[in-house]
Amino acid sequence: MFYADGEAHQLIEILPDRLSKNIKEHFLGYSLHNRRQVEYVIIDLNANYGQFVRGLFPNAKIIIDRFHIVQRVAQALTGQRVADQHSIEDKRYSREYAIMKSQWRLFRWRKRIDN
């Protein structure tokens, strides 16, 4: 786990692990005044992080890491494609099934997201 200054693009520190207990302990070492000045916290989709980040940084806006959003969308699209394939009754003669089976890469989101 690491944290950085988003405006200066400078790494501040790398924590030795991702355990919630250790992360909380580390940031509670900063005064509440300093923690209130944090404007944004970018986290992954670990459910534990969302629970304690609000308490540590009361004024910060919480943003989900875009990698994890794209990953979830891709998983949802794959799941829907497979479900649609399974719903086709006669798979041997279905053109739709053949296309979904052989061209599955077309259903994946490959475009890189840049700001």
Side-chain angles (χ1 to χ4, degrees), residues 102-114:
S102 66
Q103 302 297 320
W104 64 271
R105 285 181 185 90
L106 295 176
F107 294 93
R108 296 295 302 241
W109 186 353
R110 291 282 190 199
K111 186 176 185 306
R112 183 182 152 122
I113 299 174
D114 291 324

Side-chain angles (χ1 to χ4, degrees), residues 65-103:
D65 178 25
R66 66 182 171 191
F67 167 80
H68 290 89
I69 293 171
V70 171
Q71 185 180 41
R72 289 280 176 100
V73 169
Q75 289 170 348
L77 287 173
T78 298
Q80 186 61 53
R81 178 187 56 81
V82 170
D84 288 347
Q85 282 179 262
H86 288 304
S87 70
I88 296 172
E89 287 188 27
D90 194 2
K91 294 170 180 47
R92 292 179 296 170
Y93 301 108
S94 172
R95 184 169 191 266
E96 290 83 7
Y97 180 85
I99 290 170
M100 284 191 276
K101 181 78 173 169
S102 66
Q103 302 297 320

Side-chain angles (χ1 to χ4, degrees):
M1 211 294 283
F2 69 93
Y3 60 101
D5 181 333
E7 291 178 2
H9 304 287
Q10 294 293 317
L11 180 66
I12 297 172
E13 191 167 349
I14 299 174
L15 301 181
D17 58 42
R18 297 173 38 134
L19 296 175
S20 300
K21 174 183 156 273
N22 295 340
I23 294 171
K24 285 189 272 190
E25 185 177 293
H26 176 81
F27 285 111
L28 286 173
Y30 291 92
S31 71
L32 180 58
H33 174 75
N34 285 340
R35 289 185 283 124
R36 282 187 174 147
Q37 293 177 350
V38 173
E39 296 177 25
Y40 300 97
V41 175
I42 300 172
I43 62 174
D44 64 22
L45 289 172
N46 182 330
N48 292 331
Y49 291 165
Q51 293 175 1
F52 69 81
V53 166
R54 291 192 202 296
L56 288 173
F57 306 103
N59 297 331
K61 293 181 181 176
I62 297 176
I63 300 170
I64 304 300
D65 178 25
R66 66 182 171 191
F67 167 80
H68 290 89
I69 293 171
V70 171
Q71 185 180 41
R72 289 280 176 100
V73 169
Q75 289 170 348
L77 287 173
T78 298
Q80 186 61 53
R81 178 187 56 81
V82 170
D84 288 347
Q85 282 179 262
H86 288 304
S87 70
I88 296 172
E89 287 188 27
D90 194 2
K91 294 170 180 47
R92 292 179 296 170
Y93 301 108
S94 172
R95 184 169 191 266
E96 290 83 7
Y97 180 85
I99 290 170
M100 284 191 276
K101 181 78 173 169
S102 66
Q103 302 297 320
W104 64 271
R105 285 181 185 90
L106 295 176
F107 294 93
R108 296 295 302 241
W109 186 353
R110 291 282 190 199
K111 186 176 185 306
R112 183 182 152 122
I113 299 174
D114 291 324
N115 290 339

